[in-house]
């Protein structure tokens, strides 16, 4: 069974204080890892998809990286508007077929103080 | 990015009534959509997979007669909460599966619907 674990559960940063969020996974064969951002009372917003170890993607102050066991979401010089819950997820595959279902981690609640 | 809408964004109803929530993919066709439920401070819980033109597949423990799902077109799926009770109050979120040309496979989420049953 696929498992996704995120750490820390909560992270409090000062504005401008860079840090990283971790997403470790156990899957039978990785076929993609997704990062989402979720604001309170809203649906998750797609950020990145990573497909292979060594891959990196960037968007503004965020950079996602992937190894064979984990993914990191690096936040450089965060601003208060980066405060949100960050979710990572992996697609479920059964018998060589994906039905699109995702296994989510519990999320990291990021709070950036001005 | 692809856009998914939900309607209504919030609804309040009396116990025993039924409520319908719509989920639309606005700029792409989605043969598969998903319905999630989210409790405060918890991650998303998948309720069911909605496939266009066929019956929905429900996760274990989800009552299919209470949560009716219809995926009548490639851009619309509906979730009807039948005979709603206060314990059905929750945040319901849909997502649509986007299959890209370059073998990308991504889920895009709607903004969610807050259901309150009195």
């Amino acid at each position: 069974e696929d498992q996704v674990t995120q750490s820390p559960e909560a992270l409090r940063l000062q504005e401008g204080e860079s840090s990283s969020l971790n997403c470790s996974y156990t899957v039978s064969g990785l076929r993609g890892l997704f990062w989402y951002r979720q604001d309170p009372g809203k649906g998750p917003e797609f950020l990145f998809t990573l497909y292979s170890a060594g891959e990196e993607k960037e968007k503004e102050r965020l950079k996602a990286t992937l190894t064979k066991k984990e993914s990191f979401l690096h936040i450089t010089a965060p601003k208060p508007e980066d405060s949100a819950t960050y979710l990572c997820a992996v697609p479920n595959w059964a018998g060589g077929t994906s039905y699109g279902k995702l296994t989510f981690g519990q999320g990291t609640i990021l709070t950036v103080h001005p | 990015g692809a856009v998914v809408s939900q309607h209504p964004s919030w609804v309040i109803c009396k116990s025993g009534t039924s409520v319908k929530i719509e989920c639309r993919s606005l700029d792409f066709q989605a043969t598969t959509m998903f319905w999630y439920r989210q409790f405060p401070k918890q991650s998303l819980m998948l309720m069911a997979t909605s496939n266009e033109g066929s019956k929905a597949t429900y996760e274990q423990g989800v009552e299919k007669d209470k949560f009716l799902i219809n995926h009548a077109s490639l851009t619309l799926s509906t979730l009807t909460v039948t005979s709603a009770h206060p314990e059905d109050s929750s945040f319901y979120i849909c997502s649509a599966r986007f299959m890209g040309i370059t073998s990308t496979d991504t889920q895009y989420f709607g903004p969610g619907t807050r259901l309150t049953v009195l």
Side-chain angles (χ1 to χ4, degrees):
Chain A
E1 184 178 329
D2 297 341
Q3 289 190 336
V4 179
T5 304
Q6 292 187 245
S7 62
E9 290 185 10
L11 180 62
R12 300 167 72 91
L13 300 174
Q14 287 297 126
E15 184 171 2
E17 179 186 2
S18 301
S19 188
S20 297
L21 313 182
N22 177 266
C23 172
S24 61
Y25 59 87
T26 304
V27 298
S28 56
L30 184 67
R31 294 175 176 85
L33 183 141
F34 302 98
W35 281 99
Y36 291 90
R37 167 193 170 131
Q38 185 176 25
D39 292 298
K42 297 187 178 181
E45 173 191 349
F46 173 75
L47 293 174
F48 304 108
T49 307
L50 302 167
Y51 286 103
S52 57
E55 187 175 0
E56 298 183 354
K57 288 191 176 176
E58 291 188 61
K59 180 180 180 180
E60 297 181 354
R61 294 176 292 281
L62 301 177
K63 182 169 79 172
T65 62
L66 183 65
T67 72
K68 289 185 178 180
K69 294 184 178 181
E70 57 193 348
S71 177
F72 292 94
L73 185 64
H74 306 278
I75 303 177
T76 302
K79 297 182 178 181
E81 53 261 42
D82 294 322
S83 298
T85 297
Y86 290 85
L87 300 166
C88 71
V90 296
N92 302 144
W93 282 70
T97 301
S98 170
Y99 297 96
K101 292 169 61 172
L102 298 176
T103 297
F104 281 90
Q106 285 300 105
T108 294
I109 302 171
L110 174 66
T111 305
V112 182
H113 296 281
Chain B
V3 180
V4 177
S5 70
Q6 271 184 253
H7 178 80
S9 56
W10 59 270
V11 57
I12 301 173
C13 69
K14 293 183 178 180
S15 185
T17 61
S18 294
V19 173
K20 180 185 285 188
I21 303 170
E22 292 185 350
C23 177
R24 295 181 184 272
S25 55
L26 297 185
D27 51 2
F28 67 100
Q29 294 183 331
T31 56
T32 304
M33 292 184 173
F34 302 89
W35 287 95
Y36 295 83
R37 186 171 178 176
Q38 188 173 36
F39 294 101
K41 300 187 184 301
Q42 294 188 22
S43 193
L44 293 86
M45 182 188 79
L46 179 65
M47 298 174 65
T49 302
S50 170
N51 295 299
E52 188 266 337
S54 65
K55 290 184 178 180
T57 304
Y58 292 82
E59 295 299 301
Q60 191 172 10
V62 177
E63 298 177 62
K64 61 180 180 181
D65 294 330
K66 165 166 276 296
F67 300 101
L68 300 180
I69 292 172
N70 183 273
H71 194 153
S73 77
L74 290 173
T75 59
L76 173 65
S77 175
T78 60
L79 169 69
T80 301
V81 183
T82 63
S83 186
H85 288 94
E87 56 266 31
D88 299 322
S89 298
S90 191
F91 191 51
Y92 293 88
I93 310 172
C94 73
S95 70
R97 186 182 186 189
F98 175 74
M99 306 286 283
I101 298 174
T102 56
S103 301
T104 55
D105 184 354
T106 307
Q107 272 190 48
Y108 291 95
F109 286 82
T113 297
R114 172 72 60 191
L115 170 63
T116 301
V117 184
L118 301 177

